[in-house]
Short mmCIF file of all heavy atoms in Angstrom, two decimals:
data_model
loop_
_atom_site.label_atom_id
_atom_site.label_comp_id
_atom_site.label_asym_id
_atom_site.label_seq_id
_atom_site.Cartn_x
_atom_site.Cartn_y
_atom_site.Cartn_z
N ALA A 70 183.19 175.47 35.38
CA ALA A 70 181.90 176.06 34.99
C ALA A 70 181.96 177.56 35.07
O ALA A 70 181.46 178.30 34.12
CB ALA A 70 180.77 175.45 35.75
N ALA A 233 187.91 166.23 17.08
CA ALA A 233 189.16 165.72 17.68
C ALA A 233 188.87 165.45 19.21
O ALA A 233 189.29 164.37 19.72
CB ALA A 233 190.24 166.76 17.52
N LEU A 286 181.49 209.34 8.18
CA LEU A 286 180.39 208.37 8.32
C LEU A 286 180.48 207.36 7.24
O LEU A 286 180.40 207.71 6.04
CB LEU A 286 179.02 209.11 8.29
CG LEU A 286 177.80 208.21 8.27
CD1 LEU A 286 177.70 207.40 9.56
CD2 LEU A 286 176.55 208.99 8.04
N LEU A 288 178.78 204.41 5.32
CA LEU A 288 177.41 203.89 5.17
C LEU A 288 177.41 202.42 5.12
O LEU A 288 176.30 201.80 5.07
CB LEU A 288 176.83 204.54 3.85
CG LEU A 288 176.80 205.99 3.84
CD1 LEU A 288 176.19 206.57 2.54
CD2 LEU A 288 176.13 206.67 5.02
N GLU A 330 212.98 247.97 -6.63
CA GLU A 330 211.99 248.81 -7.31
C GLU A 330 210.80 248.02 -7.74
O GLU A 330 209.63 248.46 -7.64
CB GLU A 330 212.64 249.48 -8.50
CG GLU A 330 211.73 250.39 -9.36
CD GLU A 330 212.35 250.94 -10.61
OE1 GLU A 330 213.47 250.51 -10.97
OE2 GLU A 330 211.70 251.68 -11.37
N ALA A 341 195.17 247.44 -3.57
CA ALA A 341 193.76 247.45 -3.89
C ALA A 341 193.20 246.10 -4.40
O ALA A 341 192.02 246.00 -4.72
CB ALA A 341 193.48 248.50 -4.92
N LEU A 353 204.64 238.72 0.41
CA LEU A 353 205.94 238.42 -0.09
C LEU A 353 206.91 239.58 -0.09
O LEU A 353 208.04 239.48 0.35
CB LEU A 353 205.79 237.91 -1.51
CG LEU A 353 207.12 237.54 -2.27
CD1 LEU A 353 207.72 236.25 -1.72
CD2 LEU A 353 206.88 237.41 -3.75
N GLN A 391 201.82 255.57 -12.83
CA GLN A 391 200.66 254.66 -13.07
C GLN A 391 201.21 253.24 -13.05
O GLN A 391 201.79 252.70 -13.95
CB GLN A 391 200.13 254.94 -14.43
CG GLN A 391 199.42 256.30 -14.66
CD GLN A 391 198.84 256.45 -16.04
OE1 GLN A 391 199.68 256.45 -17.02
NE2 GLN A 391 197.58 256.57 -16.15
N LYS A 445 202.49 230.76 -7.49
CA LYS A 445 202.62 229.23 -7.47
C LYS A 445 201.46 228.63 -6.73
O LYS A 445 201.01 229.12 -5.61
CB LYS A 445 203.98 228.93 -6.80
CG LYS A 445 204.37 227.45 -6.88
CD LYS A 445 205.71 227.24 -6.26
CE LYS A 445 206.16 225.78 -6.32
NZ LYS A 445 207.46 225.59 -5.68
N ARG A 455 203.30 211.89 2.67
CA ARG A 455 202.15 210.97 2.75
C ARG A 455 202.09 210.08 1.47
O ARG A 455 201.84 208.92 1.61
CB ARG A 455 200.84 211.76 2.85
CG ARG A 455 200.67 212.61 4.07
CD ARG A 455 200.37 211.89 5.31
NE ARG A 455 199.36 210.92 5.24
CZ ARG A 455 198.01 211.12 5.54
NH1 ARG A 455 197.65 212.35 5.87
NH2 ARG A 455 197.19 210.08 5.61
N PHE A 456 202.38 210.72 0.32
CA PHE A 456 202.36 209.96 -0.93
C PHE A 456 203.46 208.95 -0.94
O PHE A 456 203.26 207.82 -1.49
CB PHE A 456 202.48 210.85 -2.11
CG PHE A 456 201.22 211.70 -2.34
CD1 PHE A 456 201.26 212.97 -2.90
CD2 PHE A 456 199.99 211.19 -2.08
CE1 PHE A 456 200.15 213.71 -3.11
CE2 PHE A 456 198.81 211.91 -2.21
CZ PHE A 456 198.86 213.15 -2.76
N GLU A 482 204.80 216.48 -10.08
CA GLU A 482 206.20 216.13 -9.79
C GLU A 482 206.59 216.68 -8.42
O GLU A 482 207.28 216.01 -7.68
CB GLU A 482 207.07 216.78 -10.89
CG GLU A 482 208.52 216.41 -10.73
CD GLU A 482 209.35 216.94 -11.90
OE1 GLU A 482 208.79 217.34 -12.92
OE2 GLU A 482 210.61 216.99 -11.74
N GLU A 483 206.17 217.87 -8.09
CA GLU A 483 206.51 218.45 -6.82
C GLU A 483 205.82 217.68 -5.63
O GLU A 483 206.50 217.48 -4.57
CB GLU A 483 206.10 220.00 -6.75
CG GLU A 483 206.51 220.63 -5.42
CD GLU A 483 206.09 222.11 -5.40
OE1 GLU A 483 205.59 222.60 -6.46
OE2 GLU A 483 206.29 222.75 -4.38
N GLY A 485 204.90 214.57 -5.67
CA GLY A 485 205.24 213.15 -5.70
C GLY A 485 204.15 212.21 -5.97
O GLY A 485 204.19 211.09 -5.61
N GLN A 506 189.74 199.39 -12.28
CA GLN A 506 189.06 198.25 -11.74
C GLN A 506 189.13 197.07 -12.69
O GLN A 506 189.19 195.93 -12.28
CB GLN A 506 187.62 198.61 -11.49
CG GLN A 506 187.37 199.55 -10.34
CD GLN A 506 185.92 200.10 -10.23
OE1 GLN A 506 185.26 200.15 -11.19
NE2 GLN A 506 185.54 200.47 -9.00
N GLY A 508 191.66 196.28 -14.28
CA GLY A 508 192.99 195.69 -14.01
C GLY A 508 193.05 195.02 -12.66
O GLY A 508 194.19 194.66 -12.21
N LEU A 568 192.08 195.99 8.96
CA LEU A 568 192.54 194.61 8.41
C LEU A 568 193.78 194.08 9.19
O LEU A 568 193.81 192.87 9.46
CB LEU A 568 192.93 194.78 6.90
CG LEU A 568 191.76 195.15 5.97
CD1 LEU A 568 192.22 195.27 4.55
CD2 LEU A 568 190.62 194.10 6.05
N THR A 575 193.98 187.38 14.90
CA THR A 575 193.70 186.04 14.38
C THR A 575 195.00 185.21 14.58
O THR A 575 194.94 184.04 15.08
CB THR A 575 193.23 186.04 12.94
OG1 THR A 575 192.03 186.79 12.80
CG2 THR A 575 192.98 184.66 12.43
N THR A 576 196.11 185.75 14.11
CA THR A 576 197.39 185.10 14.29
C THR A 576 197.70 184.72 15.78
O THR A 576 198.06 183.66 16.10
CB THR A 576 198.59 185.96 13.70
OG1 THR A 576 198.23 186.26 12.30
CG2 THR A 576 199.87 185.22 13.81
N ALA A 615 196.31 172.05 35.30
CA ALA A 615 196.66 172.44 33.95
C ALA A 615 195.43 172.86 33.18
O ALA A 615 195.46 173.92 32.48
CB ALA A 615 197.38 171.25 33.25
N LEU A 658 204.73 184.76 17.29
CA LEU A 658 205.61 184.34 18.31
C LEU A 658 205.09 184.66 19.73
O LEU A 658 205.17 183.92 20.67
CB LEU A 658 207.02 184.95 18.14
CG LEU A 658 208.11 184.51 19.09
CD1 LEU A 658 208.32 182.99 18.95
CD2 LEU A 658 209.43 185.25 18.77
#
Side-chain angles (χ1 to χ4, degrees):
L286 173 64
L288 303 181
E330 181 185 3
L353 178 73
Q391 293 179 297
K445 188 177 180 182
R455 297 286 312 269
F456 288 148
E482 185 175 346
E483 183 178 355
Q506 291 172 333
L568 296 179
T575 300
T576 303
L658 185 60

